[in-house]
């Protein structure tokens, strides 16, 4: 199948951002953490699409949307393989792999119910750990690690 | 260390740990010194811990300080719903240093970020208890003459025992070899083992206690709590497998010493108490010296 036809599986957008190379199975989580469920923008998505690099992948295209750093940090934690492609007038103006931040603040909850961030009005702070291909968040306060499947985002 | 909080044992470098232990040795020789000269130290126990509180308050008073504070949240404004931040800011008006014990994990780190005066963590939930770790290190150094290259055996609840976690992590700086004896349900968490691996050190795990005793320089005993087992039958099965009895020490090394953070229930049988290798009661006394050393260092008086 040609690249052109493959692109067409999910409609093209004129202006906005494409999140490509999302691990299959993470598309819905990415939609959730970015609050796309309540967005009024035009959104296309596909999952379990064929990918040379990853076997199966997911893709999301959002019209009129360009992400801020705190949003790309969230994407990186859930879908570390993702590529962000910014499109203006049907042209790719920027293409970046998301980079996994060293530290994140105020974007995710600590999974430890007895953590001070869940008991008092304290914003969360984590160091991002990468062990054996897994991303984990190490809490600055309670020192416990939150694994990927326990991550809850604000 | 002057004006710096101590929240987690990881906050101190190896050199800083050794420096505290040296100052503690001076206090052991001369426990009464009027260094604080009336300075006020707050002792905030948001949950009761009589043992730790008395050790701190004794340390403060032996070096001439005064104590203000409370011994449980029930007698403080916390009960009226005051935030931790407000309590800390208020108390810092009246004190030069705050010692705090709190049931919430990470509360001490947070307090150290909002407090204008230094904080000493006397236990934050299941997280850290660095002065216990310092007194353990002091006890090991004193009985072994060194902290380097020791065979250290940990026995019992290695999963939930925060004193075990902190001590393992601290000993990673001293080239220890770790022997871990526990029921499978209560093995050392992988987050702690990660520190051992990162330091390129060795650990071995056992479910049989007896075979490791002759190898050990230090045997660090802990209590296995019934409530850690969802199935009471499982608890009954393991509870007697990790009890130290005097006859088991027959083939132990001459320099071997038994440590325990106390309180003990039945994991060290009382016939061990008279063995010269039992060190757990002296260990508790060492807590006063390391707390004196810590307070004096943070206030810049040593
Ligand atoms: Zn936490």
């Amino acid at each position: 199948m040609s690249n052109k036809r493959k692109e067409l599986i999910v409609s093209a957008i004129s202006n906005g951002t494409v999140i490509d190379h999302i691990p299959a199975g993470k598309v819905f989580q990415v939609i959730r953490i970015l609050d796309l469920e309540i967005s009024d923008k035009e959104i296309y998505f596909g999952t379990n699409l064929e990918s040379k690099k990853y076997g199966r992948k997911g893709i999301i295209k959002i019209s009129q949307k360009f992400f801020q750093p705190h949003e790309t940090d969230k994407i990186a934690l859930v879908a570390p393989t993702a590529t962000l492609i910014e499109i203006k007038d049907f042209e790719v103006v920027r293409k970046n792999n998301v980079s996994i931040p060293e530290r994140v603040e105020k974007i995710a909850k600590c999974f430890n119910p007895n953590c001070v961030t869940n008991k008092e009005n304290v914003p969360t702070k984590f160091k991002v750990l990468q062990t054996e291909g897994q991303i984990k968040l190490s809490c600055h306060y309670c020192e416990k690690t939150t694994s990927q499947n326990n991550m809850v985002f604000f | 260390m002057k004006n710096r909080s101590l929240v987690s044992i990881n906050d101190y470098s190896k050199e800083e740990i050794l420096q505290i232990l040296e100052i503690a040795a001076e206090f052991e020789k001369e426990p009464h010194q009027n260094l604080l000269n009336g300075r006020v130290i707050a002792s905030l126990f948001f949950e009761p811990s009589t043992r730790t509180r008395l050790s701190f308050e004794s340390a403060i008073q032996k070096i001439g300080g005064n104590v203000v504070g409370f011994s449980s949240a029930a007698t403080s404004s916390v009960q009226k719903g005051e935030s931790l931040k407000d309590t800390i800011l208020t108390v810092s008006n009246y004190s030069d240093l705050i010692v705090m014990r709190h049931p919430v994990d990470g509360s001490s780190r947070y307090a150290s970020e909002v407090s204008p005066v230094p904080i000493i963590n006397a236990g934050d939930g299941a997280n850290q208890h660095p002065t216990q770790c310092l007194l353990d290190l002091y006890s090991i150094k004193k009985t072994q003459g060194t902290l380097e290259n020791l065979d250290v055996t940990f026995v019992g609840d290695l999963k939930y025992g925060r004193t075990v976690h902190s001590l393992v992590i601290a000993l990673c700086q001293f080239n220890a070899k770790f022997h871990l004896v526990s029921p499978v349900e209560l093995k050392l968490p992988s987050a702690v083992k990660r520190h051992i691996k990162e330091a390129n050190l060795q650990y071995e795990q056992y479910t049989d206690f007896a075979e490791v005793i002759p190898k050990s320089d230090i045997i660090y005993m802990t209590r296995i709590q019934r409530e850690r087992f969802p199935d009471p039958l499982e608890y009954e099965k393991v509870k007697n497998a990790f009890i130290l009895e005097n006859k088991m020490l027959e083939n132990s090394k001459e320099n071997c010493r038994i440590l325990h953070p106390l309180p003990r229930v039945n994991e060290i049988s009382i016939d061990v108490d008279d063995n010269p290798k039992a060190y757990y009661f002296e260990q508790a006394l060492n807590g006063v010296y390391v707390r004196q050393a810590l307070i004096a260092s943070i206030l810049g008086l040593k």
Side-chain angles (χ1 to χ4, degrees):
Chain A
M1 191 163 47
S2 77
N3 272 343
K4 188 134 200 186
R5 268 205 58 206
K6 219 159 119 188
E7 275 301 302
L8 288 173
I9 292 175
V10 181
S11 291
I13 52 172
S14 56
N15 285 290
T17 306
V18 176
I19 313 171
D20 199 0
H21 303 127
I22 300 170
K26 295 287 183 185
V27 172
F28 294 99
Q29 202 184 349
V30 174
I31 288 173
R32 219 175 312 126
I33 60 169
L34 295 173
D35 284 327
L36 298 178
E37 290 161 315
I38 51 166
S39 162
D40 55 3
K41 305 281 189 327
E42 210 173 287
I43 298 168
Y44 304 92
F45 69 89
T47 184
N48 298 322
L49 306 176
E50 247 178 76
S51 157
K52 276 207 190 82
K53 236 171 154 179
Y54 301 103
R56 295 271 156 182
K57 67 164 188 181
I59 193 165
I60 303 172
K61 303 186 178 191
I62 310 129
S63 261
Q64 315 300 335
K65 173 79 188 169
F66 300 93
F67 290 109
Q68 301 299 313
H70 76 273
E71 293 170 310
T72 53
D73 280 354
K74 279 196 212 178
I75 299 170
L77 295 180
V78 172
T81 54
T83 310
L84 291 181
I85 305 159
E86 292 190 0
I87 293 170
K88 286 187 179 152
D89 293 328
F90 293 102
E91 299 277 341
V92 172
V93 291
R94 203 194 300 176
K95 188 168 177 172
N96 287 113
N97 294 328
V98 292
S99 56
I100 295 157
E102 272 178 37
R103 283 165 199 286
V104 289
E105 290 187 16
K106 300 179 199 170
I107 71 169
K109 277 170 72 99
C110 179
F111 90 108
N112 173 9
N114 195 41
C115 176
V116 71
T117 60
N118 291 317
K119 294 270 186 178
E120 302 259 341
N121 185 14
V122 181
T124 61
K125 264 193 232 178
F126 298 96
K127 204 159 77 187
V128 182
L129 304 177
Q130 294 185 68
T131 42
E132 292 137 20
Q134 288 282 313
I135 292 183
K136 289 178 183 170
L137 299 179
S138 168
C139 179
H140 168 75
Y141 292 102
C142 74
E143 305 183 25
K144 299 269 180 298
T145 43
T146 301
S147 63
Q148 214 162 15
N149 21 352
N150 287 326
M151 281 181 205
V152 175
F153 295 89
F154 294 121
Chain B
M1 281 150 273
K2 193 179 171 191
N3 284 326
R4 253 172 62 200
S5 295
L6 174 60
V7 173
S8 162
I9 193 69
N10 313 328
D11 296 349
Y12 277 5
S13 68
K14 179 176 178 175
E15 289 66 36
E16 288 170 329
I17 289 173
L18 290 170
Q19 198 186 330
I20 290 288
L21 301 186
E22 263 170 46
I23 299 170
E26 292 172 27
F27 281 111
E28 182 171 1
K29 286 196 205 101
E30 184 56 67
H32 293 90
Q33 303 183 33
N34 186 16
L35 290 168
L36 263 51
N37 199 12
R39 279 187 178 75
V40 177
I41 296 182
S43 160
L44 307 186
F45 279 65
F46 295 85
E47 68 177 0
S49 171
T50 309
R51 213 173 276 275
T52 305
R53 185 171 59 83
L54 293 182
S55 175
F56 264 109
E57 294 183 2
S58 162
I60 294 163
Q61 287 172 359
K62 280 183 179 172
I63 54 175
N66 294 315
V67 183
V68 296
F70 47 82
S71 56
S72 82
T75 57
S76 74
S77 50
V78 181
Q79 224 198 2
K80 296 176 195 146
E82 186 177 56
S83 73
L84 177 58
K85 182 180 177 181
D86 289 7
T87 307
I88 294 294
L89 288 178
T90 307
V91 170
S92 67
N93 288 331
Y94 311 128
S95 57
D96 303 292
L97 174 78
I98 296 173
V99 173
M100 89 175 234
R101 168 90 161 204
H102 198 287
V104 169
D105 306 345
S107 52
S108 180
R109 176 74 64 200
Y110 174 61
S112 75
E113 291 176 345
V114 297
S115 173
V117 302
I119 301 276
I120 295 177
N121 182 5
D124 62 321
N127 184 31
Q128 291 282 338
H129 191 4
T131 59
Q132 175 71 45
C133 187
L134 285 170
L135 82 87
D136 290 340
L137 291 169
Y138 186 84
S139 302
I140 295 172
K141 184 158 188 276
K142 192 176 153 190
T143 59
Q144 306 298 316
T146 177
L147 285 169
E148 304 282 347
N149 314 317
L150 297 171
D151 279 82
V152 185
T153 298
F154 290 89
V155 185
D157 179 356
L158 311 188
K159 184 173 179 185
Y160 298 100
R162 66 177 170 192
T163 58
V164 171
H165 303 169
S166 302
L167 187 54
V168 166
I169 292 167
L171 285 170
C172 284
Q173 304 200 57
F174 297 96
N175 199 36
K177 188 168 176 194
F178 299 96
H179 305 277
L180 309 172
V181 186
S182 73
V184 268
E185 297 88 344
L186 298 176
K187 287 204 304 199
L188 194 73
S190 53
V192 182
K193 284 186 194 144
R194 186 163 54 83
H195 290 268
I196 303 178
K197 287 180 199 153
E198 280 172 6
N200 288 317
L201 297 176
Q202 292 182 330
Y203 68 86
E204 283 180 63
Q205 302 189 97
Y206 311 76
T207 46
D208 178 33
F209 187 6
E211 65 170 300
V212 70
I213 291 173
K215 302 178 191 170
S216 310
D217 297 311
I218 290 290
I219 300 175
Y220 196 98
M221 299 292 299
T222 64
R223 188 156 54 107
I224 295 178
Q225 287 168 279
R226 187 186 297 268
E227 54 270 28
R228 300 299 185 203
F229 289 84
D231 180 355
L233 280 176
E234 283 301 311
Y235 172 75
E236 293 302 320
K237 257 195 272 173
V238 303
K239 73 168 183 189
N240 294 324
F242 303 94
I243 291 179
L244 181 63
E245 288 168 4
N246 198 34
K247 62 176 189 295
M248 295 164 72
L249 291 167
E250 265 168 26
N251 294 318
S252 60
K253 291 188 189 176
E254 203 47 54
N255 62 303
C256 174
R257 291 294 177 276
I258 320 301
L259 269 57
H260 190 301
L262 303 181
R264 134 182 86 166
V265 182
N266 67 340
E267 56 280 2
I268 302 178
S269 96
I270 50 165
D271 64 3
V272 180
D273 295 358
D274 296 327
N275 191 316
K277 292 173 182 173
Y279 193 73
Y280 27 95
F281 294 114
E282 289 99 318
Q283 181 189 358
L285 174 61
N286 291 335
V288 176
Y289 310 135
V290 298
R291 288 172 178 124
Q292 288 176 306
L294 195 58
I295 291 164
S297 303
I298 292 176
L299 291 175
L301 302 168
K302 272 281 174 180

